[in-house]
Amino acid sequence: MANEIISPWEKERILDDAILYMRVHKNHFDLDGKLIPRVFQNRGDGMSTDWNKYSTQEECQQRARKPSENAIIQLPVAEVRKIADQKVEHTPIYEPLSEPPILNRAHTDVFGEKTTEARFHFMKIYSFAIRLEKQS
Amino acid sequence: MNLQLQKPGLSQGELHHYLTRGLTPSLRQKPNSNLPQYDISSVTADPAAYSRPTTERISTRLADAIRASGYILDLEDDWDEEGSSRFSEATWERATNFVKQLALSYRQSAGIWIDPPRILPGPKGSIDIHWKTSKREVLINVPDDDKCPADYYGSGGSADIIKGKLETSAKNEWILVWLTR
């Protein structure tokens, strides 16, 4: 009988007043240091973010492969839900046996196709939580 | 206004030429050491351009913006650490030719050059064109597949929205007319 890993974390309902943090790799800035709309896209089924109930902006940054090469932006859930076809869903990750282990109770997906229209609107609602460090 | 301060390095003759006809071929080919270099001869180094009407040449700022966007072609596989692939030159050329044609058409009808857009890496090998004025902005996505039309969405407020698909080879000057209205 295979060992089944059961997540201790239930999926929770995310209220409109919540904030989502999202990592932005340094290559998602243009030559003038402005964010590019491409950053708003799905990886797999959804766009990966962290819910501020279970993650600080610093913790979100530390989950990057190279934290210093990532800025953190924040998205108000109420505003995300106003964008056509976008759904915010708590999707905690509990994979203690993966290499390295992935334990992220804050993980939240923004499902829905990231059309040109959707990306346009995401560009209007984000703000910076942690800016990119100046490159030497 | 001291034009010499705005265009350092121009001789008196070159300054006159710049003011009356645009950059000279020698200046246009001068490399900018801060940016990746790309052959944009089809844009600026065509000697025949001088025999065409003024509107056939593109503005210095637009040429600079196109040249600068060439960094997109330098991005290698996994450039975003998310496994994304590099961009094709064909897609970049389709996007930049589209921008040139739009700007030229607008120059012909309005008599002025519009500020250049941001030409950016888009999702799934596509190129994004983000064109913005003080009142309106539009995001145009040129897909990797040259058989697919570009997708656009623009807004100048909740009651002033444009969206749809367009052929990049067709005349789409109306977008810039809307943008600058």
Side-chain angles (χ1 to χ4, degrees), chain B residues 84-103:
Chain B
S84 293
S85 301
R86 65 182 61 198
F87 292 83
S88 82
E89 196 162 344
T91 307
W92 180 80
E93 283 182 358
R94 182 186 177 196
T96 53
N97 283 334
F98 171 67
V99 167
K100 276 182 275 176
Q101 289 311 314
L102 268 186

Side-chain angles (χ1 to χ4, degrees), chain B:
Chain B
M1 179 164 44
N2 187 344
L3 290 168
Q4 289 286 11
L5 287 177
Q6 296 220 325
K7 275 282 165 197
L10 293 188
S11 69
Q12 203 63 17
E14 287 169 339
L15 179 63
H16 174 74
H17 196 286
Y18 171 75
L19 291 171
T20 55
R21 298 192 63 185
L23 289 177
T24 64
S26 64
L27 285 171
R28 283 181 289 156
Q29 291 166 5
K30 190 176 286 183
N32 181 339
S33 58
N34 294 325
L35 296 170
Q37 298 301 307
Y38 296 91
D39 178 12
I40 55 166
S41 54
S42 61
V43 183
T44 57
D46 177 7
Y50 285 90
S51 61
R52 294 180 194 145
T54 311
T55 50
E56 289 291 309
R57 290 179 280 116
I58 66 170
S59 72
T60 312
R61 292 188 62 203
L62 180 57
D64 286 346
I66 290 171
R67 185 187 300 110
S69 76
Y71 85 93
I72 294 170
L73 299 177
D74 271 351
L75 299 172
E76 298 179 347
D77 288 340
D78 198 30
W79 61 274
D80 57 354
E81 294 193 354
E82 301 277 359
S84 293
S85 301
R86 65 182 61 198
F87 292 83
S88 82
E89 196 162 344
T91 307
W92 180 80
E93 283 182 358
R94 182 186 177 196
T96 53
N97 283 334
F98 171 67
V99 167
K100 276 182 275 176
Q101 289 311 314
L102 268 186
L104 279 167
S105 296
Y106 185 76
R107 170 77 168 89
Q108 283 172 337
S109 63
I112 55 170
W113 291 109
I114 189 168
D115 285 344
R118 294 202 295 160
I119 302 168
L120 305 165
K124 298 174 186 168
S126 66
I127 301 280
D128 278 334
I129 298 162
H130 185 207
W131 224 317
K132 190 173 182 179
T133 62
S134 59
K135 290 181 181 170
R136 293 179 180 82
E137 63 185 293
V138 64
L139 179 62
I140 303 166
N141 179 253
V142 179
D144 188 26
D145 184 348
D146 63 1
K147 294 177 189 68
C148 291
D151 189 38
Y152 67 90
Y153 183 90
S155 173
S158 58
D160 187 13
I161 290 167
I162 56 168
K163 63 177 178 177
K165 295 187 182 298
L166 52 81
E167 292 297 334
T168 52
S169 56
K171 272 211 164 191
N172 293 289
E173 180 198 333
W174 65 270
I175 287 185
L176 298 190
V177 173
W178 171 83
L179 198 62
T180 55
R181 203 166 56 191

Side-chain angles (χ1 to χ4, degrees), chain A residues 25 27-32 34-38 40-41 43 65-66 69-70 114-117 119-121 123-124, chain B residues 35 68 71 75 78-82 84 87 118 120-124 128 137-139 141 151-155 163:
Chain A
H25 187 260
N27 280 349
H28 279 126
F29 291 85
D30 69 10
L31 297 174
D32 295 325
K34 293 179 186 164
L35 193 69
I36 67 175
R38 182 190 191 275
F40 300 106
Q41 63 176 328
R43 302 287 179 190
R65 263 194 270 171
K66 296 176 186 170
E69 295 184 357
N70 285 262
K114 302 301 179 286
T115 60
T116 302
E117 176 178 349
R119 294 187 297 120
F120 181 97
H121 289 301
M123 288 292 285
K124 296 291 179 193
Chain B
L35 296 170
Y71 85 93
L75 299 172
D78 198 30
W79 61 274
D80 57 354
E81 294 193 354
E82 301 277 359
S84 293
F87 292 83
R118 294 202 295 160
L120 305 165
K124 298 174 186 168
D128 278 334
E137 63 185 293
V138 64
L139 179 62
N141 179 253
D151 189 38
Y152 67 90
Y153 183 90
S155 173
K163 63 177 178 177

